[in-house]
Amino acid sequence: MIPLVSRRNLLAAGAVLPMMASTPSWAAATAFDAVIWAGPGDGQFGAPVYPSLSAAIAAAPADGRRPFRILVTRGIWTEQVVVDKPFIHLIGEDRSGSVINHLAASGLAAPDGRMWGTFRTPTLFVRAPDFHAETLTINNAFDGLAEMTKPNGLHSHNGAGPQAVALMMDKGSDRAVIRNCDILSYQDTLFPDAGATLFDRCLITGSYDFIFGGGRAWFERCEIRSRLRAADPVEGYIAAPSTPIEQAYGFVFHDCRLTKDDGVARHSVFLGRPWRPSSAFPDGRYGDPRFVGAATFLNCWMDDHIAPEGWTEMWYTGRNGNPRTMLQPEEVRFATFGSRGPGRADFSRGARLTMEQARSIRQGDVLASA
């Protein structure tokens, strides 16, 4: 237990401390600019209180030049949230108990009557720079496993339907830090599509292309957990980067643990496959050759669900209109170094870095490069 005097000093300095069972949930309020709270007695807080995260973000300065710190108290905050102001910092009271939650999937109908579509499903959109989140959970509540067991459910191999994003780093995001957070969904969980993001000691769960996009992201000491699938094909895929060719780095996983749920089959999950989105050209719309995915796993522990090939191919629409043109791992920028654990292998596909090449990949370079 931290002595009371020390706790007060730390709170005054803006530190985030674990809440003790005997400590009221509002005790740290004085360190924050806003508090999310749905209970009675909001007059007891030393900071403005809001009934939702969206309301607190709306109260932040539009051109913030310093962190606007929002305390997310324990509870399930069910809303779809857009961070469109700089320097929004979200600090949860409890990593598993402070939950930002929303249910949407590509093949489900949205309130406007249209299908959600993948890019509208995120529980949390980040569209401004210098965003921070720590000690909380970001969850898309769509139950992909249950859906796959339905005879007429939404199935991944049909091309659309169960994509359900929890967190998207959208256009405008940059210099984001996500620390000690759980990011949970089933397919297309995490979408770092713009700017640079540091994920530090996070848990990210999913089964199918569950870390994807064109942004730069460094994953430091994260747990990357593959979830059980219940439909054919049974393969899973961790990363699906769509990195632009002019961008030196895509996703780098450093000192991470690649784990699995009970029941995930041995050798059934690939480290990744290359996603090539389509663009419009004078002669038609097809897979844009500018997108040449980049992903590297450095010194990661891998359970036995990882396929010995390491990487695999992915289809895109070819210039000739063939929607099943295959982009091979050897045509993009996939690499590993220092893998260990039951799933380590001399992966037959993708590059294997030398020690010198591995040492040249530094967190600062990845996050600072444009």
Side-chain angles (χ1 to χ4, degrees):
M1 178 76 73
I2 299 172
L4 183 58
V5 172
S6 298
R7 287 183 66 87
R8 284 175 177 165
N9 291 342
L10 287 167
L11 288 172
V16 180
L17 303 175
M19 289 297 182
M20 308 303 176
S22 59
T23 304
S25 62
W26 45 265
T30 55
F32 298 91
D33 299 288
V35 177
I36 309 306
W37 175 254
D42 60 4
Q44 63 194 309
F45 291 100
V49 173
Y50 299 91
S52 69
L53 181 52
S54 296
I57 292 170
D63 58 349
R65 300 176 185 274
R66 66 167 186 84
F68 186 86
R69 294 166 55 82
I70 302 173
L71 175 63
V72 182
T73 59
R74 291 184 182 95
I76 299 177
W77 303 96
T78 299
E79 54 181 315
Q80 192 171 41
V81 179
V82 177
V83 175
D84 54 2
K85 297 177 180 179
F87 286 105
I88 296 295
H89 288 201
L90 308 181
I91 299 91
E93 182 181 359
D94 181 274
R95 177 166 173 164
S96 61
S98 299
V99 182
I100 305 168
N101 185 67
H102 185 252
L103 193 159
S106 179
L108 297 181
D112 62 8
R114 298 185 293 126
M115 295 298 100
W116 277 105
T118 303
F119 299 163
R120 296 204 299 158
T121 63
T123 297
L124 178 62
F125 296 86
V126 178
R127 293 173 176 164
D130 300 295
F131 171 78
H132 284 216
E134 59 184 270
T135 326
L136 51 78
T137 292
I138 304 166
N139 182 55
N140 189 314
F142 178 72
D143 191 338
L145 183 59
E147 188 70 23
M148 287 182 180
T149 63
K150 298 177 182 178
N152 297 311
L154 304 173
H155 295 281
S156 301
H157 58 276
N158 292 336
Q163 295 86 351
V165 180
L167 173 62
M168 180 179 184
M169 317 312 291
D170 206 351
K171 184 177 181 181
S173 175
D174 198 16
R175 301 183 300 274
V177 176
I178 316 295
R179 180 169 284 128
N180 290 319
C181 288
D182 293 351
I183 305 168
L184 311 178
S185 188
Y186 207 86
Q187 179 170 338
D188 292 10
T189 304
L190 176 59
F191 192 6
D193 200 43
T197 308
L198 169 63
F199 295 91
D200 179 22
R201 291 166 289 174
C202 293
L203 166 65
I204 303 158
T205 70
S207 68
Y208 201 93
D209 299 336
F210 64 97
I211 302 174
F212 72 112
R216 307 188 311 280
W218 182 282
F219 298 84
E220 179 70 23
R221 292 179 290 170
C222 292
E223 180 184 353
I224 313 297
R225 186 185 300 166
S226 291
R227 302 186 70 177
L228 183 65
R229 295 177 56 75
D232 292 327
V234 296
E235 290 89 355
Y237 313 92
I238 293 174
S242 56
T243 321
I245 186 61
E246 68 272 12
Q247 190 171 295
Y249 298 101
F251 303 156
V252 178
F253 301 84
H254 178 252
D255 200 19
C256 293
R257 290 180 60 82
L258 277 53
T259 64
K260 63 176 184 175
D261 281 350
D262 291 342
V264 173
R266 185 170 181 260
H267 295 169
S268 66
V269 175
F270 291 93
L271 296 173
R273 57 183 185 167
W275 175 34
R276 175 164 285 176
S278 293
S279 297
F281 298 94
D283 58 346
R285 182 177 178 82
Y286 46 84
D288 192 331
R290 186 173 70 91
F291 296 109
V292 184
T296 304
F297 288 81
L298 296 176
N299 300 316
C300 292
W301 184 93
M302 304 179 181
D303 210 337
D304 67 0
H305 61 305
I306 299 302
E309 298 90 342
W311 312 88
T312 191
E313 62 192 12
M314 190 174 187
W315 60 85
Y316 69 98
T317 301
R319 189 173 181 178
N320 62 0
N322 179 8
R324 302 292 293 188
T325 303
M326 291 297 180
L327 185 61
Q328 304 296 333
E330 293 75 19
E331 299 177 78
V332 296
R333 296 168 288 172
F334 287 167
T336 57
F337 175 84
S339 304
R340 59 192 191 278
R344 73 172 296 275
D346 293 327
F347 299 118
S348 60
R349 308 201 70 177
R352 291 187 296 279
L353 301 180
T354 66
M355 183 175 293
E356 183 177 353
Q357 289 172 324
R359 286 176 174 171
S360 71
I361 302 175
R362 295 181 293 268
Q363 182 184 116
D365 293 340
V366 172
L367 298 181
S369 64

